């Protein structure tokens, strides 16, 4: 199998759109302190880039859940591999995801974080694949709505590869 990557969103497009979302968050939160909760590992690039454009006091938190088992489809079962290290009760939380696909991960995380009683909880995803939704979830901030394709780059992986690409691409698996 040959792996080919077709550019879908360039570095410049990512930078422009991330600035727009950051501006919106700056408006919505003004002088409120924020805790950014990054969903590992895919959300890392997005978190670091958007955080640099935010004007409030920002704290970083990370959470890691397994829903993928090496393939290209998520399973319904989720486990927390790494939990938050701080108490988010009474705090303004923005959950940062790389992509919402079936919606299982995000809907699970929303319930999980809500139980911790944050002052507010917003969902921000770089990519949204609405055509694949199984669970009904809607993000408050969406970078790009994309077609049903398997995406890599800018944090997103295929079997742990391609996370370091500075752009977003569609992965094509060709029989040679
Ligand atoms: P969901 O639970 O099906 O919404 O999937 C969420 C997680 O699956 C995302 O946070 C990604 O880590 C991963 N995922 C979903 N679609 C893709 C893709 O096209 N490329 C790489 N990872 C993906
Ligand atoms: Mg993810």
């Amino acid at each position: 199998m040959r792996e080919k990557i077709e550019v879908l969103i360039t570095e410049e497009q990512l930078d422009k759109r991330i600035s727009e979302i950051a501006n919106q968050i700056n408006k919505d939160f003004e002088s409120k302190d924020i805790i950014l909760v990054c969903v590992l590992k895919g959300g890392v690039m997005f978190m670091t880039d958007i955080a640099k454009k935010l004007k409030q006091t920002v704290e970083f938190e990370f959470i890691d859940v397994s829903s993928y088992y090496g393939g290209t489809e998520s399973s319904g079962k989720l486990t927390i591999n790494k939990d938050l290290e701080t108490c988010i009760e009474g705090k303004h939380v923005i959950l940062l995801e790389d992509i919402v696909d079936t919606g299982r991960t995000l809907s699970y995380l929303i319930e999980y974080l809500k139980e911790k009683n944050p002052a507010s909880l917003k969902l921000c995803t770089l990519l949204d694949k609405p055509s694949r939704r199984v669970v009904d979830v809607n993000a408050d901030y969406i970078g790009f709505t994309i077609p049903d394709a398997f995406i890599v780059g800018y944090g997103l992986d295929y079997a742990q590869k391609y996370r370091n690409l500075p752009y977003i691409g569609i992965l094509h698996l060709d029989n040679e």
Side-chain angles (χ1 to χ4, degrees):
M1 270 306 200
R2 210 161 62 96
E3 296 170 11
K4 252 183 55 192
I5 296 163
E6 175 197 347
V7 178
L8 180 67
I9 305 167
T10 64
E11 241 183 301
E12 292 72 26
Q13 288 171 314
L14 283 168
D15 186 62
K16 182 169 174 281
R17 185 70 189 119
I18 291 169
S19 294
E20 289 169 1
I21 299 172
N23 289 341
Q24 189 60 52
I25 292 174
N26 285 331
K27 266 195 212 145
D28 295 350
F29 286 84
E30 289 200 20
S31 56
K32 290 179 189 143
D33 298 351
I34 300 173
I35 301 185
L36 294 180
V37 175
C38 170
V39 186
L40 291 172
K41 300 173 185 168
V44 165
M45 298 268 192
F46 183 36
M47 178 194 233
T48 57
D49 281 345
I50 200 161
K52 285 181 271 183
K53 299 174 193 285
L54 296 177
K55 298 198 171 23
Q56 306 82 349
T57 299
V58 166
E59 281 181 45
F60 283 10
E61 277 294 320
F62 299 90
I63 195 161
D64 185 18
V65 287
S66 297
S67 61
Y68 256 56
Y69 298 97
T72 58
E73 181 81 24
S74 82
S75 76
K77 261 184 72 187
L78 288 155
T79 43
I80 294 193
N81 302 323
K82 192 220 165 288
D83 207 340
L84 304 180
E85 289 176 4
T86 197
C87 172
I88 60 165
E89 188 169 344
K91 304 282 179 67
H92 296 287
V93 173
I94 301 179
L95 182 63
L96 293 178
E97 254 285 31
D98 50 0
I99 187 166
V100 185
D101 186 27
T102 64
R104 288 185 180 118
T105 308
L106 202 53
S107 68
Y108 173 83
L109 284 174
I110 292 166
E111 290 316 308
Y112 182 72
L113 294 177
K114 268 189 186 162
E115 280 173 18
K116 298 178 183 289
N117 296 315
S120 68
L121 175 62
K122 296 284 180 201
L123 316 169
C124 177
T125 185
L126 180 64
L127 304 172
D128 188 18
K129 254 197 256 180
S131 56
R132 299 240 322 154
R133 206 69 99 246
V134 172
V135 184
D136 186 29
V137 281
N138 296 301
D140 300 285
Y141 307 99
I142 297 170
F144 300 88
T145 300
I146 57 163
D148 181 10
F150 194 79
I151 302 302
V152 294
Y154 197 73
L156 290 107
D157 74 304
Y158 172 65
Q160 300 303 323
K161 288 185 295 186
Y162 306 120
R163 292 192 196 276
N164 59 319
L165 296 179
Y167 55 86
I168 299 265
I170 297 176
L171 178 74
H172 297 283
L173 299 173
D174 298 333
N175 287 314
E176 265 176 310

